[in-house]
Amino acid sequence: MKLGFGLVLVALAAVGSAQGPQRCSSNRVRRNAASLSSQEWASIANVLNQMNNDGWMSRFGASHDRLFSRVHGNTCFFPFHRRYVLEFENIARTYDPSFVVPYWDATESFRNPAGDPVLSATALGTNGEGNDHCLTTGIQANMQVTYPDQHCVRRNFDQGNSIGSWYAPEIISSYVQSDTSLATFRENIEYSIHGAVHLGLGGEMDTGYAAQDFSFMVHHANLDRLWWDWQNGHNEFFMYDGTGSNGPASLSDAIPEDSSVPFNGATVESVMVLGYGNVCYTYD
């Protein structure tokens, strides 16, 4: 669902932002991970290996772990992860200017998540192996990370070699269509499909440093897409209610950041509308 230029102008004017963010001259498009070819996954693997060699995978894992309590269980969940995945994407594009984080719609295979083609040996990889549950397939096969100590990227499905069923697309769609406040929508998404994927994949994804598994990025890109659909569907591009990371939610709140992955003081308001300011992407 895409937002018309006129509606964006009205939304920006509503917050009185005379010097507000400028419209992006172009937007990269985040695609459904299920549509990527094996060659495209191989290109992603190449970037991830370069980033890991330079320490970025562990920096992202460490920063998410240290900020965990401030960016979960409150409305900052959405703007933080929007800015966080964007920062990952921007850094990845310094290695390959064509790099774009795809999104993984986990509801497409909700009955049998382990059978999802996105969890194949040529994409995100299958289940971990051995006592340490190391990923030996996929784009991060045998990757070693250093936070909180040196170890392989791990995956440990919640039902042995299978994953318990996730949330049906109809349930998630009902949240997008029916929830009238961001605080309610955040709670419903965070404690349903968000948690189900993290717990279902297990291993790295069942820790505070989950971002060392690229599954984290494609999963949170999808949650961001759902938020964007909710914003469009309710014409609520600047609703930020409930509790933020430091008390009552305010658009002027600084998004929590860690020195290992700085956001340079970015505010919640700066990431509320896709296609404006530094948020120069959209979804297919």
Side-chain angles (χ1 to χ4, degrees), residues 166-187:
W166 287 340
Y167 287 77
E170 293 80 9
I171 295 174
I172 305 305
S173 293
S174 72
Y175 297 150
V176 173
Q177 295 168 11
S178 302
D179 291 346
T180 56
S181 75
L182 182 58
T184 300
F185 181 63
R186 186 278 309 168
E187 183 174 355

Side-chain angles (χ1 to χ4, degrees), residues 250-262:
S250 171
L251 288 170
S252 62
D253 288 346
I255 298 173
E257 59 183 307
D258 181 78
S259 59
S260 58
V261 183

Side-chain angles (χ1 to χ4, degrees), residues 32-34 103-119 124 163-170 172 192-198 200-201 205 215 218-223 225-226:
N32 191 327
Y103 66 89
W104 178 24
D105 184 355
T107 67
E108 291 181 348
S109 297
F110 76 97
R111 289 189 177 90
N112 178 27
D116 193 318
V118 174
L119 291 177
L124 292 179
I163 301 173
S165 60
W166 287 340
Y167 287 77
E170 293 80 9
I172 305 305
S192 64
I193 191 63
H194 165 254
V197 172
H198 276 279
L201 293 183
M205 283 286 278
S215 299
V218 296
H219 176 41
H220 275 276
N222 185 56
L223 304 183
R225 179 183 68 92
L226 293 174

Side-chain angles (χ1 to χ4, degrees), residues 9-249:
L9 291 178
V10 170
L12 289 172
V15 295
S17 187
Q19 301 298 321
Q22 298 297 305
R23 191 183 190 192
C24 297
S25 58
S26 63
N27 290 308
R28 49 195 184 254
V29 179
R30 291 181 178 174
R31 293 165 49 204
N32 191 327
S35 72
L36 269 59
S37 67
S38 57
Q39 290 82 6
E40 288 171 316
W41 282 115
S43 294
I44 291 174
N46 181 52
V47 171
L48 297 184
N49 282 316
Q50 292 183 74
M51 289 180 69
N52 191 53
N53 289 340
D54 289 340
W56 281 112
M57 301 304 293
S58 295
R59 289 185 203 177
F60 273 88
S63 65
H64 188 267
D65 190 39
R66 289 192 282 257
L67 294 170
F68 190 91
S69 63
R70 297 182 60 195
V71 298
H72 295 85
N74 62 68
T75 312
C76 191
F77 174 82
F78 276 123
F80 169 80
H81 286 94
R82 176 171 284 179
R83 184 65 181 81
Y84 190 73
V85 176
L86 176 61
E87 188 66 18
F88 184 93
E89 186 173 82
N90 287 341
I91 292 169
R93 288 171 67 85
T94 66
Y95 295 87
D96 177 357
S98 68
F99 184 96
V100 181
V101 174
Y103 66 89
W104 178 24
D105 184 355
T107 67
E108 291 181 348
S109 297
F110 76 97
R111 289 189 177 90
N112 178 27
D116 193 318
V118 174
L119 291 177
S120 70
T122 57
L124 292 179
T126 57
N127 201 8
E129 296 184 2
N131 293 334
D132 213 19
H133 305 289
C134 292
L135 262 181
T136 60
T137 62
I139 57 176
Q140 288 181 277
N142 304 306
M143 179 179 285
Q144 294 285 316
V145 289
T146 61
Y147 185 85
D149 50 32
Q150 185 164 338
H151 65 277
C152 58
V153 175
R154 303 177 179 118
R155 190 168 297 155
N156 185 17
F157 289 171
D158 68 349
Q159 294 190 2
N161 288 320
S162 65
I163 301 173
S165 60
W166 287 340
Y167 287 77
E170 293 80 9
I171 295 174
I172 305 305
S173 293
S174 72
Y175 297 150
V176 173
Q177 295 168 11
S178 302
D179 291 346
T180 56
S181 75
L182 182 58
T184 300
F185 181 63
R186 186 278 309 168
E187 183 174 355
N188 283 333
I189 292 297
E190 183 176 359
Y191 299 136
S192 64
I193 191 63
H194 165 254
V197 172
H198 276 279
L199 296 174
L201 293 183
E204 219 75 12
M205 283 286 278
D206 191 17
T207 69
Y209 44 90
Q212 293 180 140
D213 184 338
F214 187 64
S215 299
F216 175 100
M217 298 299 168
V218 296
H219 176 41
H220 275 276
N222 185 56
L223 304 183
D224 181 65
R225 179 183 68 92
L226 293 174
W227 179 27
W228 184 231
D229 282 350
W230 181 89
Q231 289 180 294
N232 277 273
H234 296 270
N235 197 25
E236 290 286 2
F237 307 106
F238 289 97
M239 178 178 281
Y240 187 59
D241 61 333
T243 302
S245 61
N246 291 305

